[in-house]
Amino acid sequence: MKALFISCTLKKTPERSHTEMLAQVVATALQERGVGVEHVRLVDHDVPPGVVTDLGEGDGWPPIHGSLLDAEILVVVTPTWLGRPSSVAQRMLERMDAMLSETTDTGTPVAYNRVAGVVVTGNEDGAHHVISEISGALADIGYTIPGQAWTYWNQGPGPGPEYPDTDHGHEWSHRTGRLMAHNLHAVATALAERPVPPFSAG
């Protein structure tokens, strides 16, 4: 089983992403369950706007799309900006829109029988809104969203320390992240054993 973590930070490598630091808790918990983990930081790739899988020469999305199809588990990693997902996360979802019309050999959408979750950080609130937006979009595309397949951290109202600068809330965020990994793995395993069958309109 494989998990793909797509980081939607605005920072290019090698800048440190606070949200990726929290996501590593989830990745480690999945690896402890025997899951292979791949990390992609979207801003390190040339991914232009669009709603198709391949925009032609120079488009960095097709290899990432390939990784999506190679993974049973997707974890979207995004900071909160102005109470919303990052612009990079929105671009990712727009490129994933093409998956709505892509099907497997059995005729099911390619996102079926895959699970997804969300990791969010920000020094102010808005995490639940971000989780809802991304989870809803991924469910539209065809992903299964297990219960409590998310974790987040925020400092609270107003400006304040960022995730690596304080221990505030880390215990809860890490415990929730390990639960997230447990739930993602459990549901992905169940779907592998008994996948959603092709739909017949008749």
Side-chain angles (χ1 to χ4, degrees):
M1 185 176 293
K2 295 181 181 178
L4 175 65
F5 283 64
I6 298 185
S7 172
C8 300
T9 177
L10 304 183
K11 302 171 182 174
K12 287 193 173 185
T13 302
E15 285 190 80
R16 181 174 65 171
S17 163
H18 304 153
T19 319
E20 286 178 13
M21 294 172 66
L22 177 55
Q24 186 56 47
V25 173
V26 182
T28 298
L30 286 171
Q31 289 171 320
E32 290 170 351
R33 290 164 170 79
V35 178
V37 173
E38 178 184 357
H39 297 272
V40 172
R41 187 181 287 202
L42 209 59
V43 292
D44 288 342
H45 303 267
D46 185 6
V47 177
V51 290
V52 297
T53 292
D54 192 344
L55 288 169
E57 185 177 355
D59 185 5
W61 179 254
I64 299 169
H65 176 266
S67 293
L68 284 167
L69 299 186
D70 197 38
E72 293 84 0
I73 299 171
L74 169 64
V75 177
V76 176
V77 180
T78 181
T80 309
W81 291 112
L82 301 173
R84 305 184 63 83
S86 76
S87 57
V88 177
Q90 181 62 32
R91 179 164 299 190
M92 175 203 71
L93 292 171
E94 289 168 350
R95 294 304 302 267
M96 290 178 72
D97 183 80
M99 294 170 68
L100 283 164
S101 58
E102 297 172 0
T103 58
T104 67
D105 293 340
T106 63
T108 58
V110 292
Y112 274 35
N113 300 308
R114 306 177 195 277
V115 301
V118 188
V119 176
V120 181
T121 66
N123 67 357
E124 295 187 41
D125 206 354
H128 276 291
H129 173 76
V130 170
I131 291 164
S132 296
E133 282 208 356
I134 294 175
S135 296
L138 293 174
D140 278 351
I141 292 166
Y143 280 87
T144 296
I145 312 298
Q148 296 184 328
W150 47 263
T151 189
Y152 69 88
W153 176 90
N154 64 61
Q155 173 63 28
E162 297 182 327
Y163 176 77
D165 303 323
T166 176
D167 292 329
H168 165 77
H170 282 207
E171 181 180 354
W172 181 88
S173 296
H174 292 185
R175 183 175 66 251
T176 306
R178 290 189 290 270
L179 173 63
M180 170 186 176
H182 171 81
N183 293 344
L184 286 169
H185 179 258
V187 176
T189 300
L191 285 171
E193 294 174 355
R194 192 169 183 176
V196 176
F199 173 71
S200 174

